[in-house]
Amino acid sequence: MLFSKTCEYAIRACIYIAQQSGEDKKVAIKEIAKGIDSPEHFIAKILQNLSKKGFINSVKGPNGGFYMDKKNMKTTISDIVLLIDGDSLFTKCVLGLKQCSENKPCPLHNQYKHTRKEIIELFRNSKIGQISEQVDLNETFLKLK
Amino acid sequence: MLFSKTCEYAIRACIYIAQQSGEDKKVAIKEIAKGIDSPEHFIAKILQNLSKKGFINSVKGPNGGFYMDKKNMKTTISDIVLLIDGDSLFTKCVLGLKQCSENKPCPLHNQYKHTRKEIIELFRNSKIGQISEQVDLNETFLKLK
DNA sequence: AAAATAAAGGATAAAAAACTCTTTTATTAA
DNA sequence: TTAATAAAAGAGTTTTTTATCCTTTATTTT
Protein backbone atom coordinates (compact mmCIF):
# COMPACT_ATOMS: atom_id res chain seq x y z
CA MET A 1 0.00 0.00 0.00
CA LEU A 2 1.38 3.40 -0.93
CA PHE A 3 -0.81 5.46 1.42
CA SER A 4 -2.21 5.10 4.92
CA LYS A 5 -5.98 4.79 5.18
CA THR A 6 -6.08 8.30 6.61
CA CYS A 7 -4.25 9.59 3.57
CA GLU A 8 -6.52 7.75 1.13
CA TYR A 9 -9.55 9.31 2.78
CA ALA A 10 -7.90 12.73 2.79
CA ILE A 11 -7.19 12.61 -0.92
CA ARG A 12 -10.67 11.34 -1.74
CA ALA A 13 -12.23 14.01 0.47
CA CYS A 14 -10.23 16.78 -1.15
CA ILE A 15 -11.27 15.66 -4.62
CA TYR A 16 -14.88 15.40 -3.52
CA ILE A 17 -14.89 18.85 -1.96
CA ALA A 18 -13.18 20.35 -4.99
CA GLN A 19 -15.74 18.79 -7.26
CA GLN A 20 -18.86 19.50 -5.20
CA SER A 21 -18.28 22.88 -3.70
CA GLY A 22 -17.55 26.50 -4.37
CA GLU A 23 -17.41 29.73 -2.36
CA ASP A 24 -21.19 29.66 -2.48
CA LYS A 25 -21.88 25.95 -2.08
CA LYS A 26 -20.44 24.19 0.92
CA VAL A 27 -20.57 20.48 1.70
CA ALA A 28 -21.13 19.01 5.15
CA ILE A 29 -19.10 16.22 6.74
CA LYS A 30 -22.00 13.82 6.45
CA GLU A 31 -22.29 14.38 2.73
CA ILE A 32 -18.54 14.03 2.25
CA ALA A 33 -18.47 10.79 4.25
CA LYS A 34 -21.24 9.37 2.08
CA GLY A 35 -19.74 10.76 -1.10
CA ILE A 36 -16.41 9.07 -0.61
CA ASP A 37 -17.58 6.07 1.39
CA SER A 38 -15.65 6.74 4.57
CA PRO A 39 -16.45 6.56 8.31
CA GLU A 40 -18.09 9.84 9.21
CA HIS A 41 -16.31 10.52 12.50
CA PHE A 42 -13.00 9.49 11.12
CA ILE A 43 -13.17 11.75 8.09
CA ALA A 44 -14.30 14.54 10.40
CA LYS A 45 -10.96 14.36 12.19
CA ILE A 46 -9.10 14.33 8.91
CA LEU A 47 -11.02 17.33 7.57
CA GLN A 48 -10.28 19.16 10.78
CA ASN A 49 -6.60 18.67 10.13
CA LEU A 50 -6.78 19.56 6.44
CA SER A 51 -8.69 22.68 7.35
CA LYS A 52 -6.29 23.71 10.09
CA LYS A 53 -3.43 23.40 7.62
CA GLY A 54 -5.34 25.45 5.09
CA PHE A 55 -5.77 22.71 2.49
CA ILE A 56 -9.53 23.13 2.55
CA ASN A 57 -11.78 25.94 3.73
CA SER A 58 -14.49 25.56 6.33
CA VAL A 59 -17.39 27.54 7.74
CA LYS A 60 -19.25 26.69 10.94
CA GLY A 61 -22.96 26.98 11.59
CA PRO A 62 -26.07 26.63 9.43
CA ASN A 63 -25.32 26.40 5.70
CA GLY A 64 -21.74 25.94 6.71
CA GLY A 65 -19.46 23.14 5.68
CA PHE A 66 -16.34 22.66 3.64
CA TYR A 67 -15.31 24.11 0.33
CA MET A 68 -12.18 24.77 -1.64
CA ASP A 69 -11.03 28.12 -2.88
CA LYS A 70 -9.12 28.73 -6.08
CA LYS A 71 -5.75 28.65 -4.36
CA ASN A 72 -6.47 25.26 -2.82
CA MET A 73 -7.44 23.83 -6.18
CA LYS A 74 -3.72 23.93 -6.95
CA THR A 75 -2.90 21.60 -4.07
CA THR A 76 -1.23 18.45 -5.35
CA ILE A 77 -1.61 14.85 -4.25
CA SER A 78 1.99 15.15 -3.17
CA ASP A 79 1.10 18.01 -0.82
CA ILE A 80 -1.61 15.95 0.85
CA VAL A 81 0.59 12.89 1.17
CA LEU A 82 3.36 14.97 2.72
CA LEU A 83 0.91 16.47 5.21
CA ILE A 84 -0.66 13.19 6.27
CA ASP A 85 1.94 10.47 5.77
CA GLY A 86 5.06 12.60 5.79
CA ASP A 87 7.87 12.23 3.29
CA SER A 88 8.77 8.61 3.92
CA LEU A 89 7.24 7.35 0.66
CA PHE A 90 9.36 9.84 -1.22
CA THR A 91 12.61 9.57 0.70
CA LYS A 92 12.87 6.53 2.98
CA CYS A 93 14.85 3.48 1.91
CA VAL A 94 12.56 0.92 0.33
CA LEU A 95 14.12 -1.76 2.54
CA GLY A 96 13.94 0.41 5.64
CA LEU A 97 17.69 0.90 6.03
CA LYS A 98 18.57 4.06 7.91
CA GLN A 99 21.82 4.79 6.12
CA CYS A 100 20.92 3.82 2.58
CA SER A 101 22.12 6.42 0.10
CA GLU A 102 23.65 6.93 -3.32
CA ASN A 103 27.07 6.21 -1.81
CA LYS A 104 26.01 3.23 0.24
CA PRO A 105 22.99 1.87 -1.61
CA CYS A 106 20.84 -0.94 -0.30
CA PRO A 107 20.39 -3.93 -2.60
CA LEU A 108 17.28 -2.44 -4.17
CA HIS A 109 18.31 1.20 -4.20
CA ASN A 110 19.60 1.50 -7.75
CA GLN A 111 16.72 -0.27 -9.41
CA TYR A 112 14.10 1.38 -7.27
CA LYS A 113 15.28 4.95 -7.57
CA HIS A 114 13.87 5.35 -11.05
CA THR A 115 10.49 4.05 -10.01
CA ARG A 116 10.52 6.30 -6.98
CA LYS A 117 11.27 9.28 -9.18
CA GLU A 118 8.21 8.43 -11.24
CA ILE A 119 6.03 8.16 -8.16
CA ILE A 120 7.20 11.55 -6.97
CA GLU A 121 6.67 13.16 -10.36
CA LEU A 122 3.26 11.61 -10.73
CA PHE A 123 1.92 12.91 -7.44
CA ARG A 124 3.65 16.25 -7.76
CA ASN A 125 1.95 16.83 -11.08
CA SER A 126 -1.52 15.81 -9.96
CA LYS A 127 -3.49 18.88 -8.94
CA ILE A 128 -6.77 18.52 -7.07
CA GLY A 129 -8.49 21.02 -9.34
CA GLN A 130 -7.59 19.23 -12.50
CA ILE A 131 -8.43 15.83 -11.05
CA SER A 132 -11.85 16.99 -9.92
CA GLU A 133 -12.61 18.17 -13.44
CA GLN A 134 -12.16 14.63 -14.71
CA VAL A 135 -14.63 13.44 -12.09
CA ASP A 136 -17.00 16.18 -13.23
CA LEU A 137 -16.80 14.90 -16.79
CA ASN A 138 -17.48 11.36 -15.61
CA GLU A 139 -14.12 10.28 -16.92
CA THR A 140 -13.09 9.02 -13.51
CA PHE A 141 -15.05 8.11 -10.39
CA LEU A 142 -14.77 8.77 -6.70
CA LYS A 143 -17.47 6.46 -5.49
CA LEU A 144 -18.27 3.19 -7.16
CA LYS A 145 -21.13 0.87 -6.51
CA MET B 1 5.88 2.95 2.55
CA LEU B 2 5.73 0.20 -0.02
CA PHE B 3 6.28 -2.73 2.37
CA SER B 4 5.30 -3.62 5.90
CA LYS B 5 8.11 -3.78 8.42
CA THR B 6 7.72 -7.57 8.45
CA CYS B 7 8.20 -7.64 4.70
CA GLU B 8 11.26 -5.40 4.81
CA TYR B 9 12.87 -7.72 7.35
CA ALA B 10 11.90 -10.77 5.31
CA ILE B 11 13.55 -9.42 2.18
CA ARG B 12 16.65 -8.34 4.04
CA ALA B 13 16.86 -11.72 5.77
CA CYS B 14 16.54 -13.62 2.51
CA ILE B 15 19.31 -11.59 0.92
CA TYR B 16 21.50 -12.08 3.97
CA ILE B 17 20.94 -15.81 4.06
CA ALA B 18 21.54 -16.10 0.33
CA GLN B 19 24.78 -14.21 0.65
CA GLN B 20 26.11 -15.85 3.82
CA SER B 21 25.11 -19.47 3.55
CA GLY B 22 25.34 -22.60 1.51
CA GLU B 23 24.36 -26.27 1.89
CA ASP B 24 27.43 -26.56 4.10
CA LYS B 25 27.34 -23.24 5.94
CA LYS B 26 24.21 -22.34 7.85
CA VAL B 27 23.45 -19.11 9.66
CA ALA B 28 21.69 -18.85 13.00
CA ILE B 29 18.83 -16.50 13.85
CA LYS B 30 21.06 -14.45 16.09
CA GLU B 31 23.56 -13.86 13.34
CA ILE B 32 20.83 -12.97 10.87
CA ALA B 33 19.25 -10.52 13.29
CA LYS B 34 22.58 -8.80 13.78
CA GLY B 35 23.44 -8.97 10.11
CA ILE B 36 20.31 -7.17 9.01
CA ASP B 37 19.74 -5.08 12.13
CA SER B 38 16.37 -6.48 13.11
CA PRO B 39 14.76 -7.54 16.42
CA GLU B 40 15.86 -11.10 17.04
CA HIS B 41 12.59 -12.60 18.22
CA PHE B 42 10.64 -10.83 15.54
CA ILE B 43 12.82 -12.04 12.70
CA ALA B 44 12.64 -15.52 14.22
CA LYS B 45 8.89 -15.56 13.60
CA ILE B 46 9.37 -14.31 10.07
CA LEU B 47 12.01 -16.91 9.30
CA GLN B 48 9.71 -19.59 10.68
CA ASN B 49 7.12 -18.52 8.15
CA LEU B 50 9.56 -18.23 5.25
CA SER B 51 10.87 -21.67 6.09
CA LYS B 52 7.42 -23.23 6.34
CA LYS B 53 6.61 -21.86 2.91
CA GLY B 54 9.86 -23.22 1.54
CA PHE B 55 11.46 -19.88 0.72
CA ILE B 56 14.45 -20.70 2.88
CA ASN B 57 15.84 -23.96 4.24
CA SER B 58 16.41 -24.72 7.88
CA VAL B 59 18.06 -27.33 10.05
CA LYS B 60 17.55 -27.71 13.79
CA GLY B 61 20.15 -28.56 16.41
CA PRO B 62 23.86 -27.94 16.75
CA ASN B 63 25.45 -26.52 13.61
CA GLY B 64 21.96 -25.97 12.37
CA GLY B 65 20.51 -22.75 11.12
CA PHE B 66 19.16 -21.32 7.90
CA TYR B 67 20.47 -21.55 4.39
CA MET B 68 19.24 -21.22 0.86
CA ASP B 69 19.41 -23.88 -1.79
CA LYS B 70 19.86 -23.25 -5.49
CA LYS B 71 16.16 -23.34 -6.20
CA ASN B 72 15.45 -20.71 -3.58
CA MET B 73 18.06 -18.42 -5.05
CA LYS B 74 15.57 -17.88 -7.86
CA THR B 75 12.97 -16.47 -5.49
CA THR B 76 12.07 -12.92 -6.46
CA ILE B 77 11.32 -9.90 -4.29
CA SER B 78 7.84 -10.14 -5.73
CA ASP B 79 7.46 -13.68 -4.36
CA ILE B 80 8.40 -12.54 -0.87
CA VAL B 81 6.13 -9.51 -0.98
CA LEU B 82 3.22 -11.66 -2.14
CA LEU B 83 3.85 -14.11 0.70
CA ILE B 84 4.13 -11.51 3.45
CA ASP B 85 2.05 -8.52 2.39
CA GLY B 86 -0.23 -10.20 -0.12
CA ASP B 87 -1.01 -8.76 -3.53
CA SER B 88 -2.48 -5.44 -2.45
CA LEU B 89 0.53 -3.39 -3.56
CA PHE B 90 0.22 -4.94 -7.00
CA THR B 91 -3.54 -4.94 -7.43
CA LYS B 92 -5.41 -2.75 -4.93
CA CYS B 93 -6.69 0.66 -5.93
CA VAL B 94 -4.20 3.32 -4.93
CA LEU B 95 -7.05 5.33 -3.37
CA GLY B 96 -8.53 2.29 -1.67
CA LEU B 97 -11.69 2.11 -3.76
CA LYS B 98 -13.16 -1.37 -3.88
CA GLN B 99 -14.59 -1.18 -7.36
CA CYS B 100 -11.88 0.77 -9.14
CA SER B 101 -11.09 -0.79 -12.51
CA GLU B 102 -10.23 -0.03 -16.13
CA ASN B 103 -13.92 0.55 -16.81
CA LYS B 104 -14.62 2.63 -13.73
CA PRO B 105 -11.27 4.13 -12.88
CA CYS B 106 -10.64 6.16 -9.74
CA PRO B 107 -9.22 9.65 -10.24
CA LEU B 108 -5.64 8.41 -10.02
CA HIS B 109 -6.07 5.10 -11.81
CA ASN B 110 -4.94 6.07 -15.29
CA GLN B 111 -1.86 7.97 -14.26
CA TYR B 112 -0.87 5.44 -11.63
CA LYS B 113 -1.24 2.28 -13.67
CA HIS B 114 2.01 2.86 -15.54
CA THR B 115 3.94 3.41 -12.36
CA ARG B 116 2.35 0.33 -10.84
CA LYS B 117 3.39 -1.72 -13.85
CA GLU B 118 6.94 -0.59 -13.31
CA ILE B 119 6.83 -1.53 -9.64
CA ILE B 120 5.55 -4.98 -10.52
CA GLU B 121 8.16 -5.50 -13.23
CA LEU B 122 10.94 -4.29 -10.98
CA PHE B 123 10.20 -6.69 -8.16
CA ARG B 124 9.37 -9.56 -10.48
CA ASN B 125 12.76 -9.24 -12.10
CA SER B 126 14.75 -9.01 -8.89
CA LYS B 127 16.03 -12.44 -7.91
CA ILE B 128 17.50 -13.04 -4.47
CA GLY B 129 20.48 -14.90 -5.90
CA GLN B 130 21.46 -12.12 -8.22
CA ILE B 131 20.90 -9.44 -5.59
CA SER B 132 23.07 -11.26 -3.07
CA GLU B 133 25.90 -11.35 -5.60
CA GLN B 134 25.93 -7.58 -5.71
CA VAL B 135 26.20 -7.53 -1.93
CA ASP B 136 29.05 -9.99 -2.21
CA LEU B 137 30.87 -7.68 -4.57
CA ASN B 138 30.34 -4.75 -2.19
CA GLU B 139 28.34 -2.98 -4.82
CA THR B 140 25.35 -2.74 -2.52
CA PHE B 141 24.96 -3.06 1.24
CA LEU B 142 22.60 -4.79 3.62
CA LYS B 143 23.81 -3.29 6.84
CA LEU B 144 25.09 0.21 7.07
CA LYS B 145 26.73 2.00 9.93
C1' DA C 1 -31.76 36.94 22.06
C1' DA C 2 -32.82 32.00 21.42
C1' DA C 3 -32.72 27.88 18.82
C1' DA C 4 -30.63 25.33 15.44
C1' DT C 5 -26.81 23.94 12.77
C1' DA C 6 -22.25 22.47 11.68
C1' DA C 7 -17.35 22.25 12.49
C1' DA C 8 -13.57 21.99 16.28
C1' DG C 9 -11.69 19.66 19.92
C1' DG C 10 -10.72 16.15 23.26
C1' DA C 11 -11.03 11.67 25.06
C1' DT C 12 -11.74 6.87 24.37
C1' DA C 13 -12.14 2.27 22.07
C1' DA C 14 -11.14 -1.36 18.81
C1' DA C 15 -8.17 -3.55 15.51
C1' DA C 16 -3.91 -4.38 13.38
C1' DA C 17 1.01 -4.42 13.30
C1' DA C 18 5.24 -4.79 15.58
C1' DC C 19 7.68 -6.93 18.91
C1' DT C 20 8.90 -10.24 23.12
C1' DC C 21 9.07 -14.21 26.00
C1' DT C 22 8.73 -19.08 27.19
C1' DT C 23 8.20 -23.82 26.14
C1' DT C 24 8.65 -27.65 22.93
C1' DT C 25 10.79 -30.41 19.40
C1' DA C 26 14.47 -32.05 16.53
C1' DT C 27 19.27 -32.91 15.91
C1' DT C 28 23.96 -33.49 16.96
C1' DA C 29 27.95 -34.35 19.48
C1' DA C 30 30.19 -35.73 23.61
C1' DT D 1 22.04 -41.71 26.17
C1' DT D 2 22.66 -37.44 27.99
C1' DA D 3 23.66 -32.64 27.38
C1' DA D 4 23.77 -28.96 24.43
C1' DT D 5 22.17 -26.48 20.53
C1' DA D 6 19.09 -24.26 17.47
C1' DA D 7 14.72 -23.82 15.18
C1' DA D 8 9.45 -24.41 15.79
C1' DA D 9 5.54 -23.24 18.14
C1' DG D 10 2.52 -20.85 21.06
C1' DA D 11 1.20 -17.22 23.99
C1' DG D 12 1.71 -12.89 25.34
C1' DT D 13 2.64 -7.47 25.31
C1' DT D 14 3.24 -2.92 23.32
C1' DT D 15 2.61 0.46 19.93
C1' DT D 16 0.39 2.41 16.06
C1' DT D 17 -3.45 2.96 13.20
C1' DT D 18 -8.15 3.22 12.54
C1' DA D 19 -12.46 4.48 14.22
C1' DT D 20 -16.10 6.33 17.51
C1' DC D 21 -18.32 9.31 20.87
C1' DC D 22 -19.27 13.38 23.37
C1' DT D 23 -18.71 18.22 24.49
C1' DT D 24 -17.59 22.88 23.04
C1' DT D 25 -17.42 26.78 20.00
C1' DA D 26 -18.78 29.56 16.14
C1' DT D 27 -22.30 31.05 13.05
C1' DT D 28 -26.70 31.70 11.22
C1' DT D 29 -31.57 32.00 11.04
C1' DT D 30 -35.81 32.82 13.32
Side-chain angles (χ1 to χ4, degrees), chain A residues 1-3 5 7-9 11-12 15 36-37 77 88-89 92-101 103-108 110-112 114-115 118-119 122-123 126 130-131 134-135 138-145, chain B residues 1-3 5 7-9 11-12 15 36-37 77 88-89 92-101 103-108 110-112 114-115 118-119 122-123 126 130-131 134-135 138-145:
Chain A
M1 226 58 28
L2 252 50
F3 307 139
K5 215 103 234 314
C7 192
E8 283 178 11
Y9 290 145
I11 296 171
R12 279 150 66 183
I15 298 172
I36 68 168
D37 221 342
I77 300 297
S88 39
L89 176 66
K92 241 191 93 183
C93 170
V94 70
L95 286 187
L97 297 179
K98 291 211 180 64
Q99 311 291 339
C100 172
S101 68
N103 287 347
K104 286 265 176 176
C106 83
L108 292 185
N110 290 312
Q111 294 102 298
Y112 181 62
H114 306 107
T115 310
E118 254 198 50
I119 293 176
L122 170 58
F123 294 141
S126 302
Q130 149 213 331
I131 293 173
Q134 295 170 4
V135 178
N138 261 283
E139 290 172 0
T140 61
F141 306 87
L142 248 185
K143 202 192 169 181
L144 304 145
K145 231 241 296 278
Chain B
M1 227 62 25
L2 254 48
F3 308 139
K5 217 102 234 315
C7 192
E8 284 178 10
Y9 291 143
I11 296 170
R12 279 151 64 182
I15 298 172
I36 67 168
D37 221 341
I77 300 295
S88 39
L89 177 66
K92 240 192 94 182
C93 170
V94 69
L95 287 186
L97 297 178
K98 292 211 179 63
Q99 312 291 338
C100 172
S101 68
N103 287 346
K104 287 261 175 180
C106 84
L108 292 186
N110 291 312
Q111 295 102 297
Y112 181 62
H114 306 109
T115 311
E118 253 197 49
I119 294 176
L122 170 59
F123 294 141
S126 303
Q130 151 213 329
I131 293 172
Q134 295 169 4
V135 178
N138 261 281
E139 290 171 1
T140 62
F141 307 86
L142 249 187
K143 202 192 169 181
L144 304 144
K145 237 245 285 283

Side-chain angles (χ1 to χ4, degrees), chain A residues 57-145:
Chain A
N57 310 88
S58 80
V59 176
K60 281 185 182 179
N63 297 319
F66 297 89
Y67 68 99
M68 209 172 266
D69 62 26
K70 246 184 179 169
K71 191 193 107 251
N72 281 332
M73 286 294 199
K74 291 182 189 144
T75 301
T76 64
I77 300 297
S78 174
D79 294 329
I80 301 171
V81 173
L82 285 170
L83 175 73
I84 310 280
D85 285 345
D87 68 353
S88 39
L89 176 66
F90 303 142
T91 62
K92 241 191 93 183
C93 170
V94 70
L95 286 187
L97 297 179
K98 291 211 180 64
Q99 311 291 339
C100 172
S101 68
E102 275 299 295
N103 287 347
K104 286 265 176 176
C106 83
L108 292 185
H109 184 92
N110 290 312
Q111 294 102 298
Y112 181 62
K113 67 180 171 188
H114 306 107
T115 310
R116 159 165 284 163
K117 206 172 176 183
E118 254 198 50
I119 293 176
I120 293 173
E121 289 299 306
L122 170 58
F123 294 141
R124 205 172 263 165
N125 291 327
S126 302
K127 293 201 183 62
I128 291 297
Q130 149 213 331
I131 293 173
S132 73
E133 280 169 31
Q134 295 170 4
V135 178
D136 244 352
L137 297 169
N138 261 283
E139 290 172 0
T140 61
F141 306 87
L142 248 185
K143 202 192 169 181
L144 304 145
K145 231 241 296 278

